[in-house]
Amino acid sequence: MNGFGGKEACKGKSRKRKDKQGVEPEGEDKNYFRWNIAMERELADILREERSLGHKGDGGWKAVAYNTAANILAAQFNLQISADNIRNRVKSWKKFYGVVSDILSQSGFSWDSTKKMISVDEDHVWEEYVKSHDDARGFRFKVIENWDDIVDLCGKDRATGEGAETGADATEVMTPTNEVDHVDLDGDTQDLEDIHVIDDISPTSTNGQKRRNCASNSSDILPTKKRGDVKDVIADSIARMALSFEEFIHADTKNLDPAEVYAEVQAVPGLSENEQLKACAWLIENDKQFHMLKALPIEKKKKFHVICNSFIQTEHKETQEFTHHFWPDGNDQFRESADLYARVMAEIDHAVTRMVFENYGVEKYHDDHFQSTSHTLRFLTYKEPKKFEVDVGLRSHTDKNFSTVLHQNHVNGLEINTKNDEWVVFDPLPSSVIFIAGDGFQVWSNDRIRACRHRVILRENEARYSSELLSVNKGMIQVPDEFVDKEHPLRYKPLNHLEFLRAHKDVGETEYAAQAYCAI
Ligand SMILES: O=C(O)CCC(=O)C(=O)O
Ligand SMILES: [Fe+2]
């Protein structure tokens, strides 16, 4: 997925790593970029040159090296790219280096220089290794085209300790120190400044989500002084993220014949003329969905209408109201971006839940499940912690909804509890999202999928922004028969999800609340 472009929107305010905070659109294609191999190779060449000029010291690359690289890449690839983008890329390389070289130092692993990936002698050796090296999991089939450059530019550091980010350091970036485990997030110290909700962006609307400081009907959500800054930052971030995701999702779209798409859409019962046109536009961008539609028998196409409607609906009433609250004179750019953002987040939710259903061999339930899914988009702002504040954020909890797709700015804070009861910091690339299974997922899966315990602890001196798409089942969540047998007796009564959420809307951060509510 894309990285962020780098032009400031927070004018006149000096912020650390501000480039990630905002981009003022200038030219359509200049502002958003994704690292590709040509850029990576060019970056490596520039850094080698910078190294020969002595712009790499004991503490790592000097600022001049990052600035030079940013300037050259910007000109060469016609991009907005900042020194921080470069710094982050190098940080990722160091992480890759740390993790991969640790793997390669073990017997049973080698580097396949043709495939540019790790080669594993036997699967069980890999399974053994990742049991104790969680951060290695994603590297089994990861193609690292520029591994030689990474070794050249980051490997030396490791050998000499110079500016090093070793495997251990890299893990440390992702794994909090032990003291974190003893942090007691007292309710009084919670400092979640604002949560802004665009509620119920699903085609058919039902209000069942909990709200914390819901923005849509309150006029004193933000301190007046900061209101402009925060909303602008959010607006800019949403615009960038929406485009970035959309571009990613549709990156490998094959060209479809519009006439064929139109003919297929016409065969879907229940679409108005307007919806047909929007569906055509959407399907042309989504070839996989198109092939799925084509494969459906006619009676199933009716259901497709609902699914496709949840994606093609572009003007949500809720987004309009939300936009109006912050910009009484309107802000079309924000409204459109928020709609697009919600839509692509919903596509991610759709794709991931489908994969899970398929993985468990129960994909036949997925269409029904998604039809009764309602989405809520929420923006969260965490104030920069004050000097004397230490443990601010959100205490450990599981989400009561079905699933959450979460995206954040560059300020870390989200921590995930692993199976071994360790807290791991979510340290994403700018374009990564995290998919969190909630209580609803756990109930549906009869405990095969555990709801994910997570918390937020702010440790950086910057405001943190996150946005999350929450999915809720508007009907009953029922364990599929396939999940019940002798070894797995039925654990839950059917759960009326909205009733459950209503019953818990005033309860703070709780863990596994559904278990207490509907366990047998
Ligand atoms: O802001 C985040 O990263 C997490 C928010 C969260 O966990 C929640 O709203 O339930
Ligand atoms: Fe949560």
Side-chain angles (χ1 to χ4, degrees):
M1 278 193 204
N2 287 5
F4 287 145
K7 193 155 181 256
E8 291 174 39
C10 315
K11 295 186 204 88
K13 273 203 105 190
S14 128
R15 296 178 67 97
K16 218 166 60 160
R17 289 188 278 175
K18 53 198 155 195
D19 66 310
K20 286 189 179 179
Q21 289 287 339
V23 174
E24 277 180 350
E26 238 179 38
E28 287 269 77
D29 41 346
K30 263 188 98 179
N31 292 315
Y32 309 98
F33 72 88
R34 177 181 311 158
W35 283 99
N36 59 34
I37 190 61
M39 288 163 68
E40 302 231 24
R41 291 217 192 291
E42 183 60 34
L43 175 59
D45 287 344
I46 299 167
L47 290 178
R48 269 189 281 272
E49 176 81 21
E50 289 298 303
R51 186 172 57 191
S52 71
L53 293 171
H55 294 161
K56 189 165 184 254
D58 288 347
W61 298 95
K62 296 189 178 159
V64 62
Y66 292 127
N67 287 331
T68 308
N71 290 340
I72 296 177
L73 289 180
Q76 196 151 325
F77 293 89
N78 191 28
L79 290 169
Q80 285 194 5
I81 182 166
S82 71
D84 275 344
N85 294 133
I86 307 289
R87 190 175 282 113
N88 282 337
R89 198 65 201 159
V90 173
K91 199 173 154 194
S92 304
W93 286 358
K94 286 181 183 174
K95 269 191 199 172
F96 285 5
Y97 183 80
V99 175
V100 175
S101 62
D102 277 351
I103 297 172
L104 298 179
S105 67
Q106 308 288 313
S107 65
F109 304 108
S110 54
W111 182 253
D112 183 330
S113 50
T114 316
K115 291 190 185 142
K116 309 270 186 206
M117 60 163 75
I118 293 164
S119 157
V120 179
D121 289 351
E122 287 180 77
D123 283 343
H124 74 89
V125 179
W126 174 259
E127 287 309 322
E128 247 342 279
Y129 184 78
V130 291
K131 268 187 203 157
S132 52
H133 296 83
D134 212 35
D135 52 349
R137 274 184 200 282
F139 286 83
R140 172 77 166 85
F141 299 104
K142 191 173 184 69
V143 177
I144 308 179
E145 286 266 15
N146 58 336
W147 176 243
D148 293 344
D149 286 337
I150 293 179
V151 172
D152 176 28
L153 291 159
C154 307
K156 261 221 187 87
D157 295 354
R158 196 169 199 209
T160 60
E162 174 203 329
E165 176 140 359
T166 61
D169 293 333
T171 329
E172 210 174 282
V173 177
M174 298 179 262
T175 315
T177 52
N178 283 341
E179 62 189 358
V180 175
D181 290 333
H182 307 300
V183 165
D184 178 21
L185 280 178
D186 184 5
D188 290 336
T189 62
Q190 301 283 313
D191 197 14
L192 187 65
E193 183 189 13
D194 300 290
I195 297 193
H196 310 293
V197 183
I198 296 181
D199 215 346
D200 226 344
I201 53 165
S202 299
T204 41
S205 149
T206 328
N207 292 318
Q209 280 293 298
K210 68 171 179 178
R211 294 169 180 224
R212 296 191 202 99
N213 301 341
C214 170
S216 51
N217 48 16
S218 153
S219 56
D220 55 358
I221 301 277
L222 298 170
T224 331
K225 205 161 57 75
K226 289 183 80 186
R227 178 172 286 216
D229 302 334
V230 170
K231 73 176 186 178
D232 289 345
V233 168
I234 292 178
D236 285 332
S237 306
I238 294 300
R240 279 178 289 124
M241 294 187 303
L243 277 174
S244 158
F245 281 136
E246 201 191 34
E247 196 180 291
F248 173 77
I249 285 178
H250 302 137
D252 63 348
T253 296
K254 314 279 175 311
N255 284 339
L256 294 174
D257 173 6
E260 196 191 350
V261 174
Y262 183 63
E264 205 53 52
V265 166
Q266 275 190 316
V268 178
L271 287 180
S272 70
E273 205 173 307
N274 216 5
E275 286 170 335
Q276 282 181 351
L277 292 176
K278 284 180 181 170
C280 284
W282 178 67
L283 286 167
I284 280 183
E285 297 277 307
N286 291 273
D287 62 314
K288 289 194 188 75
Q289 305 289 349
F290 174 69
H291 293 304
M292 180 182 142
L293 171 64
K294 257 178 84 172
L296 287 178
I298 185 73
E299 67 279 6
K300 285 270 167 64
K301 287 199 203 293
K302 270 190 210 137
K303 293 189 173 173
F304 192 82
H305 156 225
V306 183
I307 294 169
C308 134
N309 221 355
S310 71
F311 295 136
I312 62 176
Q313 186 143 348
T314 49
E315 299 221 338
H316 292 103
K317 188 166 74 28
E318 289 76 13
T319 334
Q320 265 165 3
E321 284 169 5
F322 183 90
T323 308
H324 181 76
H325 174 78
F326 284 98
W327 293 273
D329 295 335
N331 181 339
D332 285 348
Q333 200 212 342
F334 172 80
R335 188 181 42 72
E336 282 162 21
S337 312
D339 273 329
L340 175 59
Y341 184 67
R343 219 169 64 222
V344 289
M345 294 281 268
E347 286 190 45
I348 293 172
D349 186 49
H350 180 259
V352 178
T353 48
R354 181 151 199 108
M355 282 193 285
V356 176
F357 278 53
E358 277 172 2
N359 219 25
Y360 281 97
V362 291
E363 60 273 22
K364 64 180 178 201
Y365 300 122
H366 189 256
D367 286 348
D368 284 341
H369 164 78
F370 208 72
Q371 269 178 54
S372 51
T373 292
S374 156
H375 287 117
T376 296
L377 178 61
R378 212 153 62 161
F379 301 125
L380 295 86
T381 306
Y382 301 81
K383 270 193 291 195
E384 167 184 342
K386 300 195 185 79
K387 260 202 190 110
F388 52 85
E389 289 175 326
V390 272
D391 309 329
V392 287
L394 273 183
R395 75 173 74 201
S396 168
H397 65 281
T398 56
D399 290 344
K400 292 176 205 69
N401 44 301
F402 198 87
S403 55
T404 305
V405 182
L406 188 135
H407 190 202
Q408 63 167 66
N409 72 340
H410 63 280
V411 180
N412 285 348
L414 177 63
E415 299 182 4
I416 306 295
N417 192 257
T418 65
K419 263 191 191 161
N420 310 330
D421 200 19
E422 279 170 318
W423 287 101
V424 176
V425 175
F426 174 55
D427 182 20
L429 293 172
S431 49
S432 309
V433 293
I434 183 165
F435 184 92
I436 298 175
D439 289 349
F441 225 137
Q442 175 160 344
V443 169
W444 171 81
S445 70
N446 204 25
D447 280 351
R448 280 173 164 76
I449 297 161
R450 294 286 286 177
C452 165
R453 280 178 74 211
H454 55 284
R455 67 185 182 191
V456 177
I457 300 183
L458 302 181
R459 299 169 199 281
E460 298 185 39
N461 296 326
E462 271 189 273
R464 176 167 189 273
Y465 302 105
S466 61
S467 57
E468 50 188 12
L469 186 88
L470 308 162
S471 81
V472 174
N473 193 308
K474 292 179 288 179
M476 302 298 286
I477 298 183
Q478 202 145 359
V479 176
D481 291 345
E482 289 81 348
F483 289 166
V484 182
D485 54 36
K486 264 199 195 129
E487 275 119 68
H488 306 92
L490 182 65
R491 301 226 166 108
Y492 297 100
K493 290 180 252 178
L495 171 67
N496 183 324
H497 207 185
L498 291 177
E499 259 174 29
F500 162 66
L501 290 167
R502 257 175 239 129
H504 285 82
K505 76 173 181 319
D506 295 327
V507 184
E509 282 80 44
T510 48
E511 294 180 357
Y512 306 117
Q515 236 167 18
Y517 189 80
C518 65
I520 289 175

